[in-house]
């Protein structure tokens, strides 16, 4: 430095000492500067004071010589001490050169700068708050300083500044938040620790309402929550916990909508539990305010539902979120926007209605009143897209798939009109889900499909949601009449009996596609077919299921599949507890509806001769059963055929056919029943089933022994009377036609097998 330069009012001795390499000499010079500045303060000479500060800043603190910079720093600190309470008038001139030295490459110089700033701030106290942002910016850099002495000095300055902010009521939070939002994304652990500590301090100050600005830096907090340092994560958890307590205390001032999307994007394992906890509280506190963000919430929540016990807390929090969010969807979400706005309008006096306040049990009244209800709309398209994506994803866990199907069912219940617009896109995947490995998933899937097939909204749907070919298809029930007219069910399905609910146009489409799936996936039919059909009988009424499937199978071109499917349906009909009511309906055939049902089933049951006979046994058409068995001599008797006869014999011994076995007591009135059973006996080889049936027939009593007037009256109701509304000769002709088709197909297959190169 040029010692000949004029540095007045600083004396040459002061200048020389400030440039000295020894700290003690620079300290002596600082004491002289302090004395000099005190004199200027006494003289009220602010011009001289500024001149001294300017010399110390430009000629020393910002000098190229390291010892000069050190002298300038200690000199500026001495000026601040001398100024005392008046230092606030010169803070910018004092602080700026010191902060510049924070970036010095010499760690000793950075330490002296930190020490000088500490002295300046200690004297100025609350006067430094207008300069808080530049001080915070400088401190955030020193917090990550590699030198331990510098870091230690910065920590002392940091604590001092925190004390000043805590005891002051003039902190400019609005000016600070943009800086906080910028610096919170630092990846340096020390910088993160520094920022978290400041947020904790500001949040604890009663006069500073940091909650209003939480959306500005909440994302950054969750970023820090995923830090690899356990200590930093712990600090961040404490801060987030304090904010959550504050949110619960003052929900009316919380900007839920602005923070909802922030939560859903954080799915890192380290922060997922906290994110789910916050989300759960948001849904419970804000209620319908979060509905526009429901698709994003579900994206974050649904995968967590399949977690194992290692993440039990996260799974439980996600489950609570899912349940609470589902409860927010109400029938009013199915209304058009205009209808919704009309209903959400307040009464004439402008006072919110009580119903509006009671919309959700945990809804905060003040939140609702402050929200624009007309703007709160369910993001149905987004939700359906998320649900559909999870169904398509093969890696989706079982509990997540179940939750997805529960959501779809809930939406079809609460918002059927809007949901039917999505049915065509969802329908194929719902059918595919029937092949799921989990019975519980299949059961939930069937509930959704059943709701689609039976919902009144599907009957009034005019958006072309069904294929034209399916929507125009009619179900004609052969042999069935009602009031002199054939019973027809189609795009507008009519009731087949007083107990049968109407189905919409999707019902028949569902039945067609279900049978197609069984045809393409024989393993599905073998492993889950009975389970699926039984559940559908509970959900959609057994008569509807059997009526529609019988009609579809009547037109089935794959005769082998038709025979297999009829055998499956027949087994279900004869053995399942779910079919008890339908069996009773068919047992006597005393009504037009029951006769129509029998005729419909019979036509399709003809694909399987043994199943047809069992249907006749069930409906007590013993003479017709005997006539059918007489025709078995003209059929191709295979091992599979004999095995089916064997199973029928076993069924005759089951509780379902108790009434049939009792009817063997009335030999005179049931001769065709006995003849039919003997016909089966003659068909069987000398097997266990043969022995079983032979033993049963040997127990038939002698007619002469049973001829008593009283006993004949007792067995009056077991007589075989002709059934009304049924043309049995036409049914026999239909049986012959169906069996001829089966025989022709078998011959064609045999021909292809013998002559593989021959084209038929």
């Amino acid at each position: 430095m040029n010692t000949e330069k004029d540095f007045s009012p600083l004396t040459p001795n002061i200048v020389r000492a400030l440039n000295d390499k020894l700290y003690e000499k620079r300290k002596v010079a600082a004491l002289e500067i302090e004395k000099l500045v005190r004199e200027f303060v006494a003289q009220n000479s602010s011009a001289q004071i500024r001149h001294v500060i300017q010399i110390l800043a430009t000629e020393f603190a910002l000098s190229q010589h390291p010892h000069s910079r050190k002298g300038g720093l200690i000199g500026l600190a001495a000026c601040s001490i001398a100024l005392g309470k008046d230092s606030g008038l010169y803070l910018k001139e004092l602080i700026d050169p010191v902060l510049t030295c924070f970036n010095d490459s010499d760690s000793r110089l950075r330490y002296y700068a930190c020490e000088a700033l500490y002295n300046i701030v200690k004297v100025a106290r609350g006067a430094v708050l207008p300069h808080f942002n530049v001080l915070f910016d400088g401190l955030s850099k020193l917090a990550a300083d590699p030198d331990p002495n510098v870091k230690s000095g910065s920590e002392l300055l940091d604590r001092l500044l925190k004390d000043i902010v805590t005891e002051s009521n003039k902190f400019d939070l609005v000016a600070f938040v943009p800086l906080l939002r910028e610096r919170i994304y630092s990846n340096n652990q020390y910088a993160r620790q520094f920022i978290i500590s400041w947020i904790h301090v500001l949040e604890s100050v009663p006069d500073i309402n940091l909650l209003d600005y939480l959306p500005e830096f909440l994302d950054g907090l969750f970023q820090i929550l995923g830090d690899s340092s356990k200590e930093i994560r712990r600090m961040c958890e404490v801060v987030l916990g304090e904010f959550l307590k504050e949110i619960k205390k003052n929900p009316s001032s919380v900007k839920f909508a602005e923070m909802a999307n922030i939560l859903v994007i954080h799915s890192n394992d380290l922060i997922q539990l906290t994110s789910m906890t916050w989300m759960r509280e948001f849904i419970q506190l804000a209620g319908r305010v979060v509905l526009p963000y429901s698709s994003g919430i579900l994206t974050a929540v649904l995968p967590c539902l399949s977690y194992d016990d290692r993440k039990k807390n996260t799974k439980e929090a996600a489950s609570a979120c899912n349940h609470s969010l589902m409860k927010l969807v109400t029938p009013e979400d199915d209304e058009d926007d205009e209808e919704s706005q009309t209903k959400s309008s307040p009464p004439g006096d402008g006072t919110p209605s009580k119903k509006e306040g009671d919309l959700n049990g945990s809804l905060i009244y003040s939140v609702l009143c402050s929200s624009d209800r007309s703007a709160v709309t369910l993001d149905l398209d987004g939700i359906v897209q998320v649900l559909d994506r999870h169904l398509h994803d093969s890696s989706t866990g079982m509990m997540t798939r179940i939750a997805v199907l529960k959501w779809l069912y809930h939406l079809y219940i609460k918002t059927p009109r809007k949901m039917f617009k999505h049915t065509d896109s969802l329908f194929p995947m719902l059918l595919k889900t029937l092949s799921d490995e989990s019975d519980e998933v299949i059961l939930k899937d069937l509930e959704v499909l059943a709701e689609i097939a039976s919902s009144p909204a599907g009957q009034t749907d005019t958006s072309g949601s069904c294929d034209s070919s399916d929507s125009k298809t009619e179900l004609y029930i052969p042999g069935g009449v009602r009031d002199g007219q054939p019973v027809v069910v189609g795009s507008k399905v009519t009731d087949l009996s007083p107990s049968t609910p109407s189905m919409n146009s999707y019902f028949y489409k569902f039945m067609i596609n279900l049978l197609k799936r069984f045809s393409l996936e024989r393993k599905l039919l073998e492993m889950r077919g009975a389970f699926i059909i039984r559940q559908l009988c509970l959900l959609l009424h057994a008569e509807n299921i059997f009526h529609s499937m019988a009609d579809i199978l009547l037109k089935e071109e794959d005769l082998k599949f038709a025979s297999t499917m009829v055998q499956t349906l027949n087994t279900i009909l004869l053995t399942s507890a779910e079919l008890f009511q339908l069996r009773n309906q068919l047992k006597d055939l005393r009504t037009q509806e029951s006769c129509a049902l029998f005729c419909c089933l019979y036509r399709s049951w003809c694909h399987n001769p043994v199943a047809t006979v069992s249907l006749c046994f069930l409906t007590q058409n013993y003479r017709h059963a005997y006539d059918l068995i007489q025709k078995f001599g003209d059929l191709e008797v295979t091992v599979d055929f004999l095995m089916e006869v064997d199973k029928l014999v076993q069924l005759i011994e089951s509780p379902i056919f108790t009434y049939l076995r009792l009817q063997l007591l009335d030999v005179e009135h049931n001769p065709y029943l006995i003849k039919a059973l003997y016909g089966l006996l003659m068909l069987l080889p000398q097997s266990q089933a043969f022995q079983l049936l032979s033993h049963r027939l040997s127990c038939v009593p002698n007619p002469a022994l049973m001829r008593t007037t009283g006993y004949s009256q007792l067995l009056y109701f077991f007589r075989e009377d002709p059934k009304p509304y049924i043309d049995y000769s036409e049914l026999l002709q239909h049986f012959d036609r169906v069996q001829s088709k089966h025989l022709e197909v078998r011959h064609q297959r045999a021909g292809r097998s013998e002559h593989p190169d021959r084209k038929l």
Side-chain angles (χ1 to χ4, degrees):
M1 176 176 287
N2 185 6
T3 55
E4 302 298 326
K5 192 174 181 179
D6 183 16
F7 291 104
S8 60
L10 299 182
T11 64
N13 289 334
I14 292 175
V15 171
R16 193 164 39 253
L18 286 176
N19 287 309
D20 201 281
K21 64 179 181 178
L22 294 177
Y23 171 76
E24 292 301 328
K25 290 187 177 181
R26 295 197 300 273
K27 186 176 181 180
V28 171
L31 291 174
E32 291 296 324
I33 292 172
E34 181 181 344
K35 182 179 178 181
L36 180 64
V37 172
R38 287 185 188 278
E39 292 176 1
F40 291 147
V41 170
Q43 298 168 9
N44 199 23
S45 179
S46 59
Q48 287 287 66
I49 295 172
R50 292 187 187 280
H51 186 54
V52 170
I53 293 173
Q54 184 180 6
I55 292 174
L56 291 171
T58 57
E59 300 297 335
F60 289 89
L62 302 178
S63 170
Q64 296 297 319
H65 196 277
H67 297 310
S68 298
R69 293 200 294 277
K70 294 173 185 176
L73 289 170
I74 196 171
L76 289 170
C79 288
S80 178
I81 293 170
L83 288 167
K85 63 180 181 179
D86 294 331
S87 62
L89 301 172
Y90 309 93
L91 275 178
K92 180 172 176 57
E93 293 91 332
L94 290 168
I95 290 174
D96 284 353
V98 178
L99 290 175
T100 302
C101 293
F102 277 13
N103 299 317
D104 200 285
S105 58
D106 186 350
S107 61
R108 293 284 298 169
L109 233 160
R110 295 197 301 275
Y111 174 78
Y112 284 128
C114 191
E115 185 180 53
L117 189 59
Y118 178 87
N119 288 317
I120 294 171
V121 171
K122 186 176 182 180
V123 172
R125 302 296 294 183
V128 301
L129 289 179
H131 308 276
F132 178 81
N133 276 13
V134 292
L135 295 174
F136 181 88
D137 183 52
L139 274 175
S140 66
K141 297 173 183 177
L142 291 187
D145 199 284
D147 188 273
N149 291 325
V150 176
K151 193 179 297 182
S152 176
S154 71
E155 288 173 358
L156 286 173
L157 176 57
D158 181 53
R159 283 197 292 271
L160 174 62
L161 201 56
K162 285 174 180 172
D163 290 340
I164 293 172
V165 170
T166 302
E167 67 190 21
S168 173
N169 58 1
K170 296 180 181 180
F171 182 75
D172 189 355
L173 186 60
V174 176
F176 171 65
V177 168
L179 179 62
L180 175 61
R181 184 176 61 238
E182 174 190 342
R183 291 305 168 90
I184 202 169
Y185 288 104
S186 172
N187 291 323
N188 184 280
Q189 289 187 347
Y190 295 107
R192 285 181 164 185
Q193 199 168 8
F194 170 78
I195 291 166
I196 286 292
S197 67
W198 265 103
I199 293 175
H200 193 200
V201 168
L202 293 175
E203 200 277 331
S204 64
V205 178
D207 294 332
I208 298 177
N209 188 10
L210 200 58
L211 190 62
D212 285 348
Y213 301 91
L214 184 56
E216 301 284 335
F217 55 89
L218 181 63
D219 179 64
L221 281 175
F222 274 95
Q223 294 275 9
I224 295 175
L225 190 60
D227 195 274
S228 58
S229 168
K230 186 176 180 180
E231 177 62 22
I232 292 176
R233 291 201 305 272
R234 188 194 63 78
M235 289 176 62
C236 194
E237 285 173 358
V238 170
V239 170
L240 285 169
E242 292 298 321
F243 275 122
L244 194 56
K245 288 179 183 177
E246 198 67 26
I247 288 171
K248 291 179 182 179
K249 290 179 183 177
N250 306 287
S252 59
S253 62
V254 178
K255 300 174 182 177
F256 290 106
E258 294 182 27
M259 291 187 284
N261 270 342
I262 296 174
L263 298 178
V264 302
I265 63 175
H266 293 286
S267 57
N268 184 290
D269 288 346
L270 293 172
I271 63 179
Q272 211 167 45
L273 175 58
T274 304
S275 177
M276 288 297 152
T277 303
W278 274 63
M279 208 176 296
R280 178 187 63 200
E281 297 297 337
F282 272 31
I283 295 170
Q284 292 175 352
L285 292 170
R288 290 179 61 86
V289 172
V290 301
L291 275 182
Y293 310 96
S294 48
S295 59
I297 294 173
L298 283 176
T299 300
V301 165
L302 288 173
C304 301
L305 300 178
S306 292
Y307 285 170
D308 54 26
D309 288 341
R310 289 174 294 179
K311 297 180 181 179
K312 183 179 179 181
N313 292 337
T314 304
K315 181 179 179 179
E316 289 177 350
S319 180
C321 287
N322 184 59
H323 181 69
S324 298
L325 187 63
M326 190 178 290
K327 284 168 58 178
L328 296 180
V329 181
T330 63
E332 70 182 50
D333 292 308
D334 202 29
E335 299 167 355
D336 295 331
D337 293 339
E338 293 181 3
E339 295 177 8
S340 179
Q341 290 177 7
T342 301
K343 288 193 175 184
S344 63
S345 300
D349 60 356
T351 306
S353 64
K354 188 175 187 297
K355 180 180 178 182
E356 187 177 86
D358 293 339
L359 184 61
N360 184 279
S362 60
L363 208 54
I364 304 302
Y365 181 77
S366 55
V367 174
L368 278 176
C369 292
S370 63
S371 302
D372 183 4
R373 299 255 318 140
S374 63
V376 178
T377 56
L378 177 68
D379 180 20
L380 187 62
D381 293 349
I383 290 176
V384 172
Q385 186 178 2
V386 171
L387 299 176
D388 188 47
R389 185 169 65 246
H390 278 87
L391 274 185
H392 276 85
D393 189 355
S394 58
S395 63
T396 301
M398 182 190 73
M399 296 307 297
T400 299
R401 296 198 301 277
I402 291 172
V404 167
L405 293 167
K406 284 182 177 179
W407 259 103
L408 289 173
Y409 181 76
H410 184 71
L411 292 173
Y412 272 108
I413 294 293
K414 299 296 183 181
T415 60
R417 288 195 302 172
K418 291 183 178 179
M419 276 301 294
F420 263 90
K421 297 175 183 178
H422 300 278
T423 300
D424 274 352
S425 61
L426 292 170
F427 204 66
M429 195 60 217
L430 290 171
L431 287 167
K432 186 178 180 181
T433 306
L434 291 174
S435 303
D436 198 274
E437 297 177 354
S438 167
D439 285 351
E440 193 172 352
V441 171
I442 294 175
L443 184 58
K444 294 300 177 186
D445 189 39
L446 288 172
E447 288 179 359
V448 178
L449 287 166
E451 183 59 31
I452 291 174
S454 61
S455 173
Q459 294 174 341
T460 58
D461 181 47
T462 58
S463 60
S465 56
C466 281
D467 295 338
S468 58
S469 59
D470 289 343
S471 62
K472 294 179 181 178
T473 303
E474 292 185 340
L475 279 173
Y476 175 69
I477 310 303
V481 293
R482 177 182 294 167
D483 299 330
Q485 299 295 326
V487 179
V488 177
V489 286
S491 58
K492 293 184 179 179
V493 183
T494 60
D495 288 350
L496 300 176
S497 74
S499 61
T500 310
S502 296
M503 299 292 107
N504 62 35
S505 55
Y506 272 98
F507 172 75
Y508 193 62
K509 182 178 182 181
F510 174 32
M511 292 297 104
I512 290 174
N513 282 278
L514 178 60
L515 288 174
K516 282 181 180 178
R517 194 150 199 89
F518 283 151
S519 178
L520 295 172
E521 294 185 39
R522 298 300 174 88
K523 188 176 180 182
L524 174 64
L525 175 60
E526 179 184 344
M527 303 297 293
R528 300 291 179 82
F531 171 73
I532 290 172
I533 294 170
R534 289 201 315 270
Q535 294 303 319
L536 284 176
C537 287
L538 291 174
L539 294 166
L540 292 173
H541 198 281
E543 187 175 342
N544 284 330
I545 301 300
F546 274 75
H547 245 305
S548 58
M549 285 192 170
D551 184 77
I552 296 166
L553 289 171
L554 190 61
K555 308 176 185 72
E556 177 61 49
E557 296 179 357
D558 185 347
L559 299 183
K560 186 176 181 181
F561 166 70
S563 177
T564 303
M565 194 67 221
V566 164
Q567 184 181 5
T568 302
L569 290 171
N570 188 63
T571 302
I572 295 170
L573 176 63
L574 295 178
T575 61
S576 299
E578 295 86 352
L579 277 295
F580 175 78
Q581 185 177 352
L582 186 60
R583 284 196 297 271
N584 280 346
Q585 185 179 344
L586 289 168
K587 186 175 177 181
D588 293 321
L589 299 183
R590 296 295 180 185
T591 64
Q592 284 182 314
E593 288 78 11
S594 60
C595 289
L597 177 60
F598 166 73
C599 291
C600 178
L601 297 182
Y602 180 94
R603 298 261 177 162
S604 291
W605 260 233
C606 286
H607 284 297
N608 189 296
V610 179
T612 312
V613 171
S614 67
L615 180 63
C616 291
F617 282 158
L618 175 66
T619 56
Q620 303 185 67
N621 280 298
Y622 301 134
R623 180 168 183 171
H624 194 69
Y626 172 71
D627 291 338
L628 287 174
I629 293 172
Q630 287 289 92
K631 292 178 176 291
F632 282 8
D634 300 327
L635 302 180
E636 182 180 358
V637 178
T638 63
V639 174
D640 290 339
F641 180 88
L642 292 175
M643 288 179 64
E644 290 180 33
V645 177
D646 189 297
K647 290 178 182 177
L648 177 56
V649 171
Q650 302 292 336
L651 279 172
I652 290 172
E653 296 296 321
S654 68
I656 289 172
F657 282 113
T658 300
Y659 66 91
L660 181 148
R661 297 195 300 273
L662 286 174
Q663 288 171 1
L664 291 174
L665 292 172
D666 189 3
V667 179
E668 290 185 348
H669 291 105
N670 294 293
Y672 288 102
L673 170 58
I674 298 172
K675 285 185 176 184
L677 293 178
Y678 270 109
L680 292 179
L681 186 67
M682 294 303 106
L683 283 171
L684 286 169
Q686 302 252 338
S687 60
Q688 184 179 357
F690 177 90
Q691 299 296 332
L692 186 65
L693 184 55
S694 176
H695 182 70
R696 172 64 63 185
L697 290 171
S698 68
C699 297
V700 174
N702 187 329
L705 296 176
M706 304 300 292
R707 287 193 190 120
T708 62
T709 304
Y711 200 81
S712 297
Q713 291 176 349
L714 179 65
L715 297 177
Y716 174 81
F717 294 105
F718 289 130
R719 293 182 309 178
E720 182 177 357
D721 295 331
K723 313 303 179 188
Y725 321 116
I726 297 176
D727 184 351
Y728 288 100
S729 61
E730 194 276 333
L731 293 180
L732 281 175
Q733 292 173 13
H734 177 75
F735 178 83
D736 290 338
R737 288 194 297 270
V738 172
Q739 291 309 308
S740 295
K741 288 182 181 179
H742 277 269
L743 183 61
E744 182 182 348
V745 169
R746 282 195 291 269
H747 286 168
Q748 288 176 351
R749 286 177 180 165
R752 284 195 295 268
S753 177
E754 293 174 6
H755 306 281
D757 297 329
R758 186 176 69 182
K759 294 183 179 179
L760 296 178

